Amino acid sequence: MGQGPGHVSTSLRAAIALLSAGALTAGCTVIGTEDESADEPVTVTLVTHQSWAVPQEVVDAFEQRAGVRIEVRKEGDAGELTNKLVLTKDNPIADVAYGIDSTFASRALSEGVFQPYTSPEADRGPQRYAVDREQRLSAVDVGDVCVNIDGEWFAENDVPEPTGLDDLTDPIYEDLFVVPSPATSSPGLAFLFATVSEYGEDGWTDYWSDLKDNGVKVVSGWTEAYTQEFSGSSGEGERPIVLSYASSPAAEIGQDGKPRTKALLDTCYRQVEYAGVLAGTEHPDEAGKVIDFLLSPEFQSTLPENMYVYPTREGVPLPEEWERAAPMPRESISLPGEQVQENRERWISEWRELLEG
């Protein structure tokens, strides 16, 4: 749930993935055996974000079953990935792309990056997040962006926990909130969209002015905000309120089995990651099989523990600790893709002038 017009590959799952999947390195990685025969399978290049982490045995089983090999090419984060796909659309760098999130999907679609493909797996849940009538994108995972708090800090300091966006401008929470910039971070951009949705075109700038007056700290990306500034993470920062993900508390479970942090579910902005067959691929049939794989129960079941996102497929259980510490938000804030596409750059420019000008 691949951060901003530069999504800087700074997400919780990126940090977890780098620790747990050291075998997956940047650049191109061919997933599969080195044995080649006269009937060598077709190689499908999958371009994705740096957070890609999938158990090898799951990929091996798919490759043997489908008769294809997957070559993984990593291109940073959602923003970087989208920019690269747009710039190379006339000479595509891959056959399939995975990791375009809902903050950038409208741009990729308007630029004609993808071609239609309807997966037989799409009606198992992914259709709930459809953004394109031509079905050029299939929803693979959900990674809602939410305000997170350090519950222990609030208990120790006898300060009531905030519950929603309005609370963050209350003087009682002065100098307690840190957020990644929407100009350089995908979760930061999602939070900007959340404030536009909640307060409208006539009110979101006033809300941000109030945040500024209340001492909100803006940093470049999620990693700095969560691991360095937030008091509830291993970074042991000084601020007990941070912008992160609904899934973040699942990574902060203490030895007592209880999460040290909590996501404020009323603040969440729905962020969905999509995959699609790139227009101009020389292997459309095999590329479609890879989309099917990304929507399959085998792949979907690996998402929570390997990439710290929620599966889009119905009936895929979450890990037991997630049900307790990181339940998926029932309802999240969102904006229509067309509105995002039309106003994204203007909103960022206005935000810059307000917070940085």
Side-chain angles (χ1 to χ4, degrees):
M1 262 143 175
Q3 311 181 359
H7 183 51
V8 245
S9 190
T10 49
S11 68
L12 179 68
R13 60 195 183 159
I16 301 293
L18 288 174
L19 293 174
S20 62
L24 296 171
T25 57
C28 293
T29 304
V30 177
I31 302 179
T33 63
E34 294 299 321
D35 295 333
E36 297 185 1
S37 65
D39 297 324
E40 181 180 352
V42 171
T43 296
V44 174
T45 301
L46 170 68
V47 62
T48 185
H49 46 53
Q50 292 288 352
S51 303
W52 169 269
V54 185
Q56 185 65 47
E57 61 270 19
V58 174
V59 178
D60 289 344
F62 161 71
E63 290 183 328
Q64 294 175 9
R65 183 172 66 251
V68 302
R69 300 179 76 198
I70 299 178
E71 180 181 274
V72 176
R73 174 173 178 169
K74 298 181 180 181
E75 292 290 344
D77 53 50
E80 293 169 324
L81 177 58
T82 303
N83 289 336
K84 178 61 71 72
L85 293 177
V86 169
L87 291 173
T88 61
K89 64 180 181 180
D90 294 329
N91 186 25
I93 58 175
D95 304 292
V96 176
Y98 161 50
I100 301 292
D101 68 28
S102 45
T103 58
F104 292 100
S106 56
R107 183 185 177 208
L109 291 173
S110 67
E111 293 286 350
V113 169
F114 297 99
Q115 66 185 43
Y117 175 71
T118 303
S119 172
E121 306 294 329
D123 62 355
R124 270 66 169 188
Q127 78 282 358
R128 294 173 292 175
Y129 309 103
V131 291
D132 178 41
R133 293 181 179 178
E134 297 180 48
Q135 299 185 353
R136 289 172 291 175
L137 287 176
S138 298
V140 176
D141 65 72
V142 177
D144 286 2
V145 173
C146 315
V147 175
N148 279 225
I149 62 171
D150 175 1
E152 293 181 357
W153 185 96
F154 285 98
E156 292 171 358
N157 289 274
D158 196 28
V159 175
E161 296 180 354
T163 60
L165 295 177
D166 288 347
D167 292 341
L168 302 179
T169 62
D170 190 314
I172 196 174
Y173 304 113
E174 185 176 4
D175 297 332
L176 299 186
F177 183 32
V178 58
V179 60
S181 167
T184 54
S185 158
S186 182
L189 185 58
F191 184 67
L192 174 59
F193 292 163
T195 62
V196 172
S197 177
E198 287 296 284
Y199 300 103
E201 281 279 12
D202 297 329
W204 75 267
T205 53
D206 291 338
Y207 177 76
W208 275 96
S209 292
D210 291 342
L211 284 180
K212 182 178 181 180
D213 292 342
N214 210 37
V216 66
K217 185 171 186 177
V218 178
V219 296
S220 62
W222 177 89
T223 298
E224 182 179 355
Y226 194 86
T227 67
Q228 299 178 28
E229 299 289 342
F230 181 44
S231 64
S233 74
S234 58
E236 297 183 354
E238 297 182 353
R239 297 196 173 221
I241 309 174
V242 67
L243 185 73
S244 194
Y245 295 88
S247 58
S248 298
E252 305 294 351
I253 297 176
Q255 293 184 347
D256 59 359
K258 298 179 180 179
R260 297 186 297 269
T261 64
K262 179 169 65 175
L264 305 184
L265 300 187
D266 288 342
T267 68
C268 299
Y269 185 86
R270 176 57 36 95
Q271 194 169 48
V272 181
E273 284 191 325
Y274 297 89
V277 176
L278 291 171
T281 175
E282 296 180 356
H283 308 292
D285 293 340
E286 290 80 8
K289 291 181 180 180
V290 174
I291 300 294
D292 299 345
F293 169 59
L294 298 178
L295 302 183
S296 70
E298 292 80 11
F299 178 86
Q300 291 275 302
S301 64
T302 72
L303 287 169
E305 293 185 315
N306 288 275
M307 289 194 266
Y308 269 69
V309 288
Y310 302 90
T312 58
R313 188 183 179 101
E314 294 175 330
V316 177
L318 293 176
E320 183 178 348
E321 62 270 21
W322 280 53
E323 296 287 1
R324 180 179 64 257
M328 184 173 173
R330 292 178 179 270
E331 296 183 12
S332 294
I333 305 166
S334 64
L335 286 174
E338 297 79 9
Q339 186 179 0
V340 169
Q341 174 65 9
E342 182 179 347
N343 297 286
R344 180 193 298 110
E345 298 308 318
R346 176 174 64 82
W347 289 335
I348 293 173
S349 178
E350 292 177 357
W351 180 90
R352 279 187 182 276
E353 183 177 350
L354 181 66
L355 272 292
E356 299 175 353

